[in-house]
Amino acid sequence: MTCTFAIVDCNNFYASCERLFRPDLKSVPLLVLSNNDGCVIARSQEVKALGIKMGVPLFKIQDEIKRHGIQVFSSNYTLYGDISSRVMHTLEQLSPHVEVYSIDEAFLDLSGIGSLNDYGQMIKATVLRHVGVPVCVGIAPTKTLAKLANNAAKKFKATQGVVDLREHKRQKRLMEITPVNEIWGVGRKLTESLNRRGIETAWQLAQMDTHQVRRLYSVVLERTVCELNGESCLGLEETASAKQQIVCSRSFGERLTHYTALREAVCEFSARAAEKLRRENRLAMMVNVFIRTSPFDETSPRYDNTATGKLSQPSADTSKILELTTRLFDMVWKDGYRYAKAGVMLGDFCSPDNVQPSLFENQERRQENEALMQVIDTINHSGQGKVWFGGQRPQKDWFMKQANVSPAYTTRWSSIPEVR
DNA sequence: TCTGGGGTCCTAGGACCC
DNA sequence: TCTGGGGTCCTAGGACCC
């Protein structure tokens, strides 16, 4: 039986989220910045039309911002996460099989549905009505072709935001006018290499011999070629697979030069990572700490180091993880540098149910610690204050720059917009 | 002055064993 | 002393995604 996939992708998601609560900005150019207000990570249609590229640093476009009256927002991930779950919830009402693929897109299984174009339009209208976010829908027999269809739905106005790409003739026509780099799974390096071989369009890639693709590149690109030819290699993954690693890292608003300051930052990341770990209900064995100077800073010396260690046994206990973190930090720390970024990575996970208790560990002590962690997480999420360990420090001068953050419209009572 | 953060998967190469 | 291939496991690094 042939499957039918749809991908629903929000248009300019972060920009649309900011606009949701500011109807006055409906047709005003608007962009959203990365952490530290560093570079552009989302743009409204108007900003795209001005030719401002994804990822450019803010300082390079100051003139254009002034000239065109562009509204600038710091990123507000709490808001985006909340809007995202509303979108996904709506989609789950419309289709029994949904794979949440990222914060702003989901794959749906539409096998067996009759009029797919109408169905796509219905999805689009429903999300707009329920959540207020515009989406585009791409429909095809494989995920890769569905992504391609979605691409076209976004690019061509006449499609009205929905493209049904089940017909082979349409697939061919679209691939012939699609540059190979727009294909899902073909990034910068592959594009360069394919171009060197004279492969410029998606259609040319689709015509390549799969064995040759595997030999020259990898099974990954081979799969892409198969998918472009209508052979589905990637199924719908409805249950989110367990995480393999958890990372917490940040660039600093200002360079850090002191041992204590950087150590505090690293401990804070470690505690955040441990919190995520507990939310996933997993235990970690491996802890990795990295620190580095800015790769863009040409005037001061560079330094980049990382250290990995193993806990004596799997744990999600912040105090145990912090203890190892500080030891690892001392291994990588070197005086005399201007540090721009640091992070903590947890890995080697297992589930709490099948962990072998150590011969030497005190069982009661372990249960006490688990209970303590629960209390700490509850307090820290209550919004009524924070509890932290020695080594962390809640008032942080390394904290991010966020000059233009929008209010917590959906998650804080005092920030809910008033209707007059 | 000012350049994001959090992931996954695959591959190559080294260590080690038989 | 010389010489061999195949297998597994681990790690680092690259490429990709959003």
Side-chain angles (χ1 to χ4, degrees):
Chain A
M1 190 193 104
T2 63
C3 277
T4 302
F5 294 96
I7 182 144
V8 181
D9 192 320
C10 301
N11 303 351
N12 318 321
F13 184 57
Y14 297 169
S16 300
C17 288
E18 295 294 350
R19 215 168 239 175
L20 205 46
F21 297 92
R22 292 287 305 273
D24 56 308
L25 301 179
K26 188 162 181 218
S27 42
V28 175
L30 179 163
L31 59 79
V32 180
L33 299 171
S34 65
N35 282 335
N36 286 314
D37 295 346
C39 54
V40 176
I41 55 167
R43 308 155 294 160
S44 73
Q45 213 49 55
E46 300 78 13
V47 173
K48 287 181 184 174
L50 288 171
I52 292 175
K53 296 270 184 295
M54 183 80 166
V56 292
L58 176 62
F59 71 92
K60 285 191 179 168
I61 52 166
Q62 290 293 5
D63 286 353
E64 278 139 298
I65 288 173
K66 257 194 218 125
R67 198 161 59 238
H68 300 109
I70 299 173
Q71 291 285 316
V72 176
F73 287 87
S74 303
S75 39
N76 182 346
Y77 289 103
T78 317
L79 174 68
Y80 312 148
D82 189 52
I83 304 299
S84 170
S85 61
R86 294 180 193 198
V87 171
M88 300 309 167
H89 185 74
T90 303
L91 294 178
E92 277 156 13
Q93 313 284 303
L94 300 175
S95 166
H97 305 293
V98 176
E99 172 189 344
V100 177
Y101 177 68
S102 76
I103 192 161
D104 72 334
E105 36 184 329
F107 286 103
L108 275 51
D109 177 5
L110 298 187
S111 307
I113 290 175
S115 173
L116 282 169
N117 205 60
D118 293 350
Y119 202 83
Q121 289 294 346
M122 184 275 283
I123 291 172
K124 190 185 141 196
T126 310
V127 175
L128 190 61
R129 196 169 63 241
H130 287 192
V131 192
V133 170
V135 302
C136 283
V137 185
I139 300 163
T142 69
K143 283 182 164 182
T144 307
L145 284 171
K147 285 285 248 183
L148 180 67
N150 195 291
N151 211 9
K154 285 211 161 75
K155 224 182 324 186
F156 304 115
K157 264 248 147 74
T159 63
Q160 297 189 58
V162 178
V163 168
D164 175 358
L165 201 61
R166 281 173 304 161
E167 251 179 71
H168 181 258
K169 254 181 27 207
R170 298 194 79 192
Q171 293 168 9
K172 177 167 188 272
R173 239 189 307 151
L174 182 54
M175 281 193 270
E176 280 170 343
I177 59 164
T178 303
V180 72
N181 65 297
E182 287 180 26
I183 295 300
W184 191 40
V186 179
R188 216 187 69 235
K189 293 280 183 183
L190 278 174
T191 301
E192 275 173 29
S193 172
L194 287 166
N195 284 171
R196 260 182 269 124
R197 271 174 210 286
I199 308 289
E200 306 273 347
T201 68
W203 180 248
Q204 288 175 308
L205 176 62
Q207 295 316 109
M208 282 183 83
D209 174 63
T210 51
H211 295 100
Q212 193 197 11
V213 170
R214 182 179 201 142
R215 197 160 39 77
L216 292 173
Y217 298 98
S218 66
V219 293
V220 184
L221 192 64
E222 182 192 20
R223 223 149 38 201
T224 300
V225 172
C226 292
E227 286 239 323
L228 285 177
N229 285 294
E231 184 191 328
S232 176
C233 304
L234 305 165
L236 200 75
E237 289 166 35
E238 290 178 71
T239 46
S241 47
K243 280 202 201 319
Q244 306 294 304
Q245 61 175 26
I246 288 171
V247 181
C248 192
S249 72
R250 286 287 179 286
S251 299
F252 307 123
E254 284 162 22
R255 303 280 184 263
L256 298 187
T257 51
H258 291 107
Y259 174 84
T260 341
L262 192 59
R263 191 176 188 268
E264 277 166 4
V266 167
C267 287
E268 177 68 21
F269 300 148
S270 189
R272 290 286 83 78
E275 213 177 287
K276 288 189 203 171
L277 183 65
R278 294 194 288 275
R279 218 176 306 147
E280 292 276 317
N281 189 30
R282 313 229 74 198
L283 304 178
M285 264 301 256
M286 189 273 288
V287 180
N288 173 278
V289 172
F290 67 91
I291 59 177
R292 70 162 149 95
T293 58
S294 167
F296 305 106
D297 192 347
E298 314 247 305
T299 56
S300 42
R302 287 202 197 161
Y303 178 68
D304 178 343
N305 205 352
T306 163
T308 305
K310 269 197 182 328
L311 293 160
S312 56
Q313 62 174 322
S315 174
D317 184 330
T318 299
S319 58
K320 295 228 172 67
I321 293 173
L322 270 180
E323 195 260 328
L324 177 54
T325 300
T326 53
R327 278 207 326 261
L328 294 169
F329 176 72
D330 285 337
M331 290 165 67
V332 293
W333 163 260
K334 227 159 120 186
D335 203 4
Y337 292 96
R338 304 177 68 236
Y339 290 98
K341 182 174 180 173
V344 171
M345 211 184 294
L346 303 180
D348 250 354
F349 297 157
C350 63
S351 115
D353 318 322
N354 50 27
V355 59
Q356 294 254 356
S358 145
L359 200 55
F360 304 107
E361 205 205 14
N362 181 332
Q363 200 58 29
E364 273 171 38
R365 177 69 193 280
R366 189 158 79 113
Q367 280 161 6
E368 273 171 29
N369 277 355
E370 275 170 25
L372 175 65
M373 287 303 128
Q374 262 186 27
V375 172
I376 289 175
D377 288 344
T378 310
I379 294 173
N380 286 351
H381 287 146
S382 66
Q384 304 186 1
K386 298 278 178 199
V387 179
W388 61 92
F389 285 81
Q392 286 173 271
R393 191 163 56 108
Q395 257 334 311
K396 23 211 163 189
D397 28 32
W398 50 268
F399 202 71
M400 296 186 291
K401 231 186 313 187
Q402 280 196 317
N404 307 290
V405 69
S406 51
Y409 295 114
T410 59
T411 50
R412 195 183 297 155
W413 283 111
S414 61
S415 299
I416 289 178
E418 285 174 37
V419 178
R420 288 175 230 229

